[in-house]
Amino acid sequence: MAQHGLMDVDLAEQVSSLRQELAALKKAVGRRSSDFYENAGDTFSDYLSDVSQRIVPGFRRQARAVERAAYDHPAAVATVGLLIIALMAGLVLGARSSDESAESLVKRARQAAGRRS
């Protein structure tokens, strides 16, 4: 029986030791995760900065070209603007009329169902 008591004490010491090691590992993982998060943020920021430095000049050139074309051809710009307005109005009115036709179909179906009953 004395051996059984020693095994219990030894097992308790091992569990205690494992708990301490687990706590130390949790702290180490927490520190590394924090470092990784900070490095990832810096890396992503550097990547975005690099991409913007490459892309923005191209956009500026295109914007200047569009500006020059609009200045040189104001009638074309007005025509395109009117076409866009007409397209939007057609979409809005078309959606409204399709809603109304759907409602009228539902009413007809209810009326037909009422006659059969």
Side-chain angles (χ1 to χ4, degrees):
M1 292 271 212
Q3 275 187 333
H4 187 59
L6 288 176
M7 288 176 51
D8 287 342
V9 170
D10 188 40
L11 186 61
E13 287 177 6
Q14 288 178 358
V15 168
S16 175
S17 174
L18 288 174
R19 284 185 180 157
Q20 290 173 353
E21 288 182 38
L22 184 60
L25 286 173
K26 284 182 182 179
K27 287 179 184 178
V29 167
R31 284 191 301 267
R32 289 193 180 197
S33 298
S34 177
D35 292 343
F36 177 74
Y37 180 76
E38 289 175 9
N39 289 339
D42 292 342
T43 301
F44 186 68
S45 176
D46 293 343
Y47 174 74
L48 287 180
S49 176
D50 186 42
V51 168
S52 69
Q53 287 176 358
R54 291 181 184 178
I55 292 177
V56 169
F59 282 134
R60 287 184 182 155
R61 283 191 298 270
Q62 292 295 327
R64 281 190 224 114
V66 169
E67 183 181 8
R68 268 188 247 116
Y71 184 76
D72 293 342
H73 306 287
V77 172
T79 303
V80 170
L82 289 174
L83 287 173
I84 291 173
I85 291 171
L87 176 65
M88 298 302 275
L91 289 173
V92 168
L93 294 176
R96 186 177 294 168
S97 67
S98 68
D99 288 344
E100 291 172 0
S101 63
E103 290 175 10
S104 65
L105 287 174
V106 169
K107 287 179 185 177
R108 287 186 203 163
R110 287 182 182 161
Q111 290 172 354
R115 290 182 196 151
R116 290 183 187 165
S117 302

